[in-house]
Amino acid sequence: MNAVPSELATYNFAYLDEQTKRMIRRTILKAIAIPGYQVPFASREMPMPYGWGTGGVQVTAAILGPEDVLKVIDQGADDTTNAVSIRAFFQKVANVAVTTKTREATIIQTRHRIPEEKLTAGQTLVYQVPIPEPLRFLEPRETETRKMHALEEYGLMHVKLYEDIARNGHIATTYSYPVKVEGRYVMSPSPTPKFDNPKMHMSEALQLFGAGREKRIYALPPFTDVVSLDFEDHPFEVQKFERPCALCGAENVYLDEVVLDDRGGRMFVCSDTDHCEDRRDHGHCGTMLAYGKAAAE
Amino acid sequence: MADTQIFSGAFAEPVLAAQSVFRTVMDCMARPGTIGTIAATARPPQPLGVAAGAVALTLCDHDTPVWLTPQLARSKLPGWLSFHTGAPITGEKHEARFAFVEKEAVLPGFALFSPGTQEYPDRSATLVVEVDSFEDGRPLKLSGPGIRDEAVIAPQGLPDTFVALAEANRAMFPRGVDLILVAGDRVLCLPRTTVIKNREA
Amino acid sequence: MYVAVKGGEAAIANAHRLLADRRRGDRSLPSITIEQIVAQLGLAVDRVMAEASLYDRAIAALAIRQSRGDMIEAIFILRAYRTTLPRFGYSVPVETSRMLVERRVSATYKDLPGGQLLGPTFDYTHRLLDPSLLRDEQVEEPLQRDGEQEPVMRVSDILAGEGLVEGDGELPAGHVPGDLTREPLEFPMARDLRLQALARGDEGFLLSLAYSTQRGYGNNHPFVGEVRMGEVEVELDLPELGFAVSLGRIQVTECQMITQFKGSVKSPPQFTRGYGLVFGQNERKAMSMSLVDRALRTDEFEEDVVSPAQDEEFVISHSDNVQATGFVEHLKLPHYVDFQAELDLMRRMRREHDERSREEPGDDTLEAAQ
């Protein structure tokens, strides 16, 4: 018996075999036709771990073509290791053009952020989703949550948010903040900060959500009504930062807190690295950058 | 040899062609009313049109029972579909995941096809319907997800009952069938979410 | 000045290089061969094949070597490879009653047709470290059984003769066995899909669940009707030929666990069965699987779901170690965007809390103020 494997299989364009792509493509079309509804799909084992973007990777692999320009971000940044790894995967298996510039990309795969720059009609945003079910932490059983969606029975979610208000005076959900799509399905925006929720509403870009481990795909077509759940006396509001980005001076963007030393020194900079670089290239300057420049001169 | 019609006419470059056709259909499904052009060439047996053939090659396989109109079922199409996609042909409309209707054929009632269930509304049929053209028909006003305010289309060759059929389909949401209209090499999608009304002249 | 961290690509490449170095270890030692892993770490290879659902010893051994012996990592590598393989068809069910038996024990009968065969088992070894294995030890050839062996009847067939044990059961007409690697999961599951999930489930997880059913979490009173291990024929039906052709033999371990059942409206009192079937030699897994399979059949026997091992959604959703490890380990990916949002909220709630306690001082502070 020959114990040594002589030849291993070679991989198809964009890694997935054609049968798998067809299955995912059919799923995507149904997801678009039923905005906010999680379509089950036979998620495949991918060569990266579950929980690390296998859903997003499968969606991207099923839609990607040779003419696309791909951008991959994690936490808003192109240079986080998992974003680098996923980008390198598609360069390898699909030989696709990549970019870090939001406006040059036709497909943007993301984990935890929506780019600051307004997305446009030719673009598709692919989200990596860990737990697609917005009701999962209220009801762990799939059999139950499926019924709740079928019957549009979302009282539990309102009760949970209202309990927050009763206890804290405000809703204590800061990310994965649930939304209602076209007045029908309650949907998880994936763990993006609620700061990004308003960007989903009536977006010009197509938004696709892939959850590999949980085997679900869902979608928001462009120009779709996406409303964050709230109450009349406690309207939805997003995080506000007290100061602009220390590097590019941008306001009304999501900021990362960077610890500078062990004496409580901190600075706040754009989480969207491309947005920040683009602003700096166009001459915008935050306090820290100005300070750095002055010191250099 | 009559059978050459069955064994030929698939995509020359299946992987890239399927990707390109799918992207066109996906963009049209996401933006109802937008007319896309199928770039890849499929040559299905008559009387199925080229765009419908390309959609079949792109989306159908062993897992998708296909329903055909009586005329298509009598053509070379069942053999062609089965050879190139492996899709089983079904005579039962409610079992079909895809249905193909050629130009000028009678459009069956949407309600005869599976609209999915309340729990699984995705388990519904997609109807690929060929019309004469996308111009100069009776204007229809579209609104709903994927459409900024409203869109107007004017396909020629849909029955007079079309708006009523679409309205009944829309009323079942989230259940319902989804439509892919084709004309020549062009395609236009009407998912179940689209509200379709006759535009008053 | 703060500079956004760059160079993720170089960092990843360097990490891979270091990993390769650690995997190879001391270069003055010969590198371990695939043949050696297959031959000498055979049970590790078996476990990887079973939980990856791919029967190929050499490729499983390659995965073990590549993963530095991390079993779940090896299973993961093998599964990712399996996904890309084309399917030629589905074999006919293997017939374990025609197994070329290497080991077979029954706890329910002292002796039975075919006999009790211990085979290559750790069962009666004394777990004392063996210093002879520190060297390249001399090992005697095993003894071979002489002559024709009598058929090794399955214990379930013996009991079925008396009508005291439930039958193999019939699949509904036209039922095509499911495949959870090709179709999305849906609860409640049919038993065929559930058994598939268990067969590729994590050995440790199933072992613990099986153990829990013995300790009162689930009402099982099991007997090992039979455990058998050996080679079975894999056959493929070829419609063109009109008969099945053999593709070769694979080694499997099968366990039939027998449980007393008092009867219900639907069924008379009888012994019921839990079933386990695993690639390679892995009795622990086959036995655990059979106990959990029986525990999960609450619907069929109108039993109340009172324990974790009886809860299908709980068991099946969490039995896959590749999914589990991915999701647990993904917590080490950056989450600073969400953490920022939480930090912001925490600061706000803390501020509000402090303000409240200043506005409504408790009795102690009042007294202190006076």
Side-chain angles (χ1 to χ4, degrees):
Chain A
M1 194 184 88
N2 180 14
V4 181
S6 50
E7 202 181 311
L8 300 178
T10 52
Y11 298 111
N12 192 18
F13 174 80
Y15 182 78
L16 298 175
D17 59 283
E18 289 303 297
Q19 204 277 329
T20 299
K21 283 188 205 165
R22 268 195 302 276
M23 176 270 295
I24 296 175
R25 286 168 180 165
R26 291 193 296 259
T27 307
I28 290 172
L29 293 182
K30 288 299 173 191
I32 291 171
I34 318 166
Y37 164 74
Q38 305 160 52
V39 188
F41 81 113
S43 173
R44 299 295 195 249
E45 240 103 27
M46 296 301 284
M48 60 268 293
Y50 284 116
W52 298 53
T54 56
V57 168
Q58 287 181 80
V59 169
T60 299
I63 67 175
L64 189 72
E67 275 145 40
D68 279 307
V69 180
L70 177 69
K71 171 180 164 83
V72 183
I73 50 173
D74 184 343
Q75 314 294 298
D78 298 272
D79 56 3
T80 31
T81 39
N82 205 42
V84 169
S85 165
I86 290 172
R87 191 164 55 237
F89 174 74
F90 281 113
Q91 281 177 291
K92 185 172 167 185
V93 299
N95 193 27
V96 68
V98 297
T99 183
T100 59
K101 300 243 171 287
T102 299
R103 76 182 66 115
E104 285 174 6
T106 54
I107 298 174
I108 302 171
Q109 180 166 329
T110 180
R111 179 169 168 261
H112 293 193
R113 275 310 312 275
I114 300 175
E116 303 291 359
E117 189 170 329
K118 192 165 174 260
L119 300 180
T120 56
Q123 297 183 304
T124 302
L125 184 60
V126 178
Y127 295 75
Q128 301 171 200
V129 183
I131 302 278
E133 178 50 71
L135 306 168
R136 186 58 71 232
F137 295 105
L138 308 173
E139 170 51 65
R141 269 166 215 287
E142 163 70 14
T143 33
E144 292 301 318
T145 52
R146 184 160 290 281
K147 265 183 239 155
M148 291 156 86
H149 285 294
L151 302 172
E152 216 175 334
E153 179 51 66
Y154 295 126
L156 204 57
M157 181 61 92
H158 283 99
V159 169
K160 190 255 168 197
L161 293 175
Y162 211 86
E163 276 174 359
D164 270 6
I165 294 171
R167 192 174 307 128
N168 308 307
H170 44 79
I171 292 169
T173 301
T174 57
Y175 61 94
S176 292
Y177 190 102
V179 294
K180 197 156 197 185
V181 178
E182 286 286 326
R184 177 57 178 82
Y185 282 104
V186 167
M187 186 194 97
S188 166
S190 87
T192 48
K194 66 178 178 179
F195 180 88
D196 286 336
N197 276 20
K199 295 179 192 160
M200 295 195 295
H201 176 62
M202 297 304 270
S203 167
E204 284 182 33
L206 169 63
Q207 302 173 75
L208 300 175
F209 299 76
R213 193 179 39 76
E214 299 280 340
K215 303 177 170 53
R216 297 289 184 273
I217 287 172
Y218 52 104
L220 295 172
F223 307 114
T224 293
D225 190 57
V226 180
V227 179
S228 302
L229 299 184
D230 63 357
F231 298 94
E232 245 170 53
D233 48 344
H234 288 275
F236 172 79
E237 51 182 31
V238 299
Q239 291 103 327
K240 287 195 183 65
F241 292 87
E242 286 160 13
R243 59 209 104 176
C245 168
L247 294 180
C248 76
E251 292 182 42
N252 301 319
V253 295
Y254 198 79
L255 300 178
D256 292 336
E257 180 170 338
V258 179
V259 178
L260 294 172
D261 51 42
D262 57 3
R263 300 179 304 276
R266 280 169 174 52
M267 67 188 278
F268 288 82
V269 296
C270 285
S271 125
D272 183 336
T273 50
D274 169 61
H275 185 70
C276 195
E277 277 165 30
D278 191 60
R279 281 179 53 86
R280 278 179 278 148
D281 287 349
H282 286 83
H284 295 280
C285 190
T287 52
M288 210 67 175
L289 200 62
Y291 172 76
K293 273 185 186 159
E297 278 163 12
Chain B
M1 276 273 289
D3 278 344
T4 51
Q5 271 190 23
I6 286 177
F7 300 127
S8 67
F11 294 136
E13 283 191 77
V15 172
L16 299 182
Q19 188 276 334
S20 141
V21 174
F22 168 70
R23 273 295 274 281
T24 305
V25 174
M26 179 181 91
D27 286 342
C28 291
M29 193 64 87
R31 296 175 175 82
T34 306
I35 296 169
T37 303
I38 301 280
T41 327
R43 281 173 291 106
Q46 291 292 328
L48 196 71
V50 290
V55 169
L57 292 176
T58 302
L59 294 175
C60 296
D61 59 25
H62 297 92
D63 296 331
T64 58
V66 167
W67 180 86
L68 301 174
T69 59
Q71 164 134 11
L72 290 179
R74 280 194 304 272
S75 73
K76 297 277 183 209
L77 187 62
W80 188 81
L81 278 178
S82 151
F83 180 76
H84 295 291
T85 72
I89 309 295
T90 176
E92 303 294 331
K93 294 189 185 69
H94 63 269
E95 280 176 5
R97 301 309 293 265
F98 286 90
F100 289 86
V101 179
E102 79 280 16
K103 211 159 41 176
E104 283 155 23
V106 176
L107 183 63
F110 298 166
L112 301 172
F113 295 94
S114 170
T117 63
Q118 199 69 13
E119 279 80 14
Y120 293 96
D122 55 299
R123 296 179 182 175
S124 62
T126 301
L127 277 50
V128 183
V129 178
E130 190 162 21
V131 297
D132 300 326
S133 115
F134 286 142
E135 279 90 36
D136 304 328
R138 187 198 313 174
L140 301 173
K141 203 170 72 178
L142 311 180
S143 59
I147 302 165
R148 188 195 297 261
D149 298 309
E150 60 175 56
V152 176
I153 57 170
Q156 226 178 93
L158 288 172
D160 294 342
T161 53
F162 181 74
V163 168
L165 280 175
E167 196 178 322
N169 186 51
R170 177 79 187 84
M172 282 194 296
F173 190 83
R175 296 182 302 142
V177 300
D178 304 305
L179 295 179
I180 300 176
L181 302 186
V182 286
D185 64 352
R186 302 204 298 163
V187 58
L188 180 164
C189 295
L190 297 172
R192 68 194 77 179
T193 47
T194 305
V195 178
I196 306 172
K197 291 206 159 81
N198 282 313
R199 196 179 69 172
E200 283 84 46
Chain C
M1 194 190 109
Y2 168 78
V3 183
V5 184
K6 290 276 178 196
E9 236 150 305
I12 291 173
N14 290 340
H16 290 174
R17 189 166 159 177
L18 184 59
L19 175 67
D21 172 81
R22 293 292 193 273
R23 182 182 64 234
R24 179 59 182 84
D26 186 348
R27 312 289 202 281
S28 67
L29 296 171
S31 86
I32 188 169
T33 67
I34 300 303
E35 290 91 337
Q36 285 170 339
I37 295 171
V38 170
Q40 297 175 46
L41 296 174
L43 298 187
V45 170
D46 284 357
R47 179 175 173 198
V48 170
M49 292 196 305
E51 290 174 36
S53 310
L54 182 69
Y55 195 92
D56 188 319
R57 289 218 150 84
I59 296 181
L62 172 62
I64 290 171
R65 186 176 164 199
Q66 191 176 330
S67 69
R68 307 177 64 196
D70 178 332
M71 300 303 275
I72 294 182
E73 183 68 25
I75 292 161
F76 178 17
I77 294 170
L78 203 57
R79 280 204 198 172
Y81 174 68
R82 176 191 189 272
T83 311
T84 64
L85 299 177
R87 312 235 152 170
F88 299 117
Y90 291 87
S91 71
V92 298
V94 294
E95 188 50 79
T96 53
S97 64
R98 293 210 307 265
M99 178 187 284
L100 197 61
V101 170
E102 197 175 357
R103 168 169 167 77
R104 187 275 202 112
V105 291
S106 167
T108 52
Y109 292 99
K110 184 170 196 291
D111 198 8
L112 65 173
Q116 308 262 16
L117 293 168
L118 284 186
T121 177
F122 290 119
D123 283 356
Y124 304 102
T125 61
H126 295 142
R127 271 65 167 197
L128 305 171
L129 282 171
D130 181 355
S132 76
L133 295 181
L134 290 169
R135 296 173 300 279
D136 191 3
E137 83 284 17
Q138 291 300 306
V139 179
E140 289 176 308
E141 288 299 316
L143 296 176
Q144 298 284 339
R145 206 166 21 191
D146 291 328
E148 282 289 296
Q149 64 175 103
E150 60 179 324
V152 188
M153 227 181 141
R154 296 199 312 184
V155 168
S156 51
D157 297 332
I158 299 172
L159 278 169
E162 269 188 273
L164 290 181
V165 71
E166 61 163 331
D168 283 342
E170 294 291 326
L171 285 174
H175 179 87
V176 181
D179 181 352
L180 57 85
T181 67
R182 310 301 276 187
E183 299 146 23
L185 215 59
E186 187 187 325
F187 295 108
M189 297 172 94
R191 192 173 173 210
D192 54 344
L193 277 171
R194 207 161 60 202
L195 286 168
Q196 186 192 10
L198 295 176
R200 54 197 258 125
D202 182 75
E203 179 180 320
F205 179 72
L206 294 182
L207 173 66
S208 298
L209 282 175
Y211 179 44
S212 74
T213 67
Q214 291 179 280
R215 292 193 64 264
Y217 290 88
N219 200 17
N220 255 350
H221 298 282
F223 299 92
V224 171
E226 178 181 61
V227 172
R228 57 168 63 196
M229 182 274 289
E231 290 192 343
V232 291
E233 198 99 27
V234 176
E235 296 174 318
L236 186 70
D237 249 335
L238 290 180
E240 293 86 354
L241 295 179
F243 55 86
V245 292
S246 172
L247 299 177
R249 293 175 158 277
I250 60 169
Q251 187 188 41
V252 296
T253 307
E254 181 189 54
C255 176
Q256 300 235 32
M257 199 64 82
I258 289 173
T259 310
Q260 189 216 75
F261 174 63
K262 293 195 171 67
S264 71
V265 183
K266 285 189 215 164
S267 342
Q270 60 182 326
F271 292 113
T272 58
R273 298 190 288 168
Y275 189 70
L277 184 71
V278 186
F279 279 160
Q281 179 176 2
N282 192 343
E283 229 156 82
R284 182 186 304 127
K285 170 72 179 281
M287 292 175 71
S288 303
M289 176 177 168
S290 65
L291 285 169
V292 176
D293 169 49
R294 176 59 189 83
L296 289 173
R297 297 175 64 199
T298 52
D299 247 18
E300 292 173 66
F301 301 116
E302 295 161 78
E303 295 166 331
D304 293 329
V305 176
V306 291
S307 310
Q310 295 174 303
D311 184 332
E312 180 181 84
E313 255 203 77
F314 176 79
V315 172
I316 303 297
S317 302
H318 302 110
S319 62
D320 189 306
N321 52 25
V322 175
Q323 288 176 7
T325 201
F327 201 45
V328 167
E329 293 195 47
H330 108 284
L331 292 173
K332 67 195 165 193
L333 287 178
H335 282 77
Y336 55 78
V337 161
D338 294 344
F339 187 69
Q340 186 63 51
E342 291 288 87
L343 204 56
D344 186 55
L345 175 71
M346 190 56 74
R347 283 174 180 148
R348 174 172 166 189
M349 289 186 358
R350 199 46 188 268
R351 203 165 49 234
E352 287 166 356
H353 173 86
D354 292 349
E355 277 161 17
R356 271 201 304 276
S357 38
R358 264 199 304 280
E359 282 161 17
E360 319 154 12
D363 290 345
D364 293 353
T365 41
L366 263 178
E367 272 171 32
Q370 283 163 356

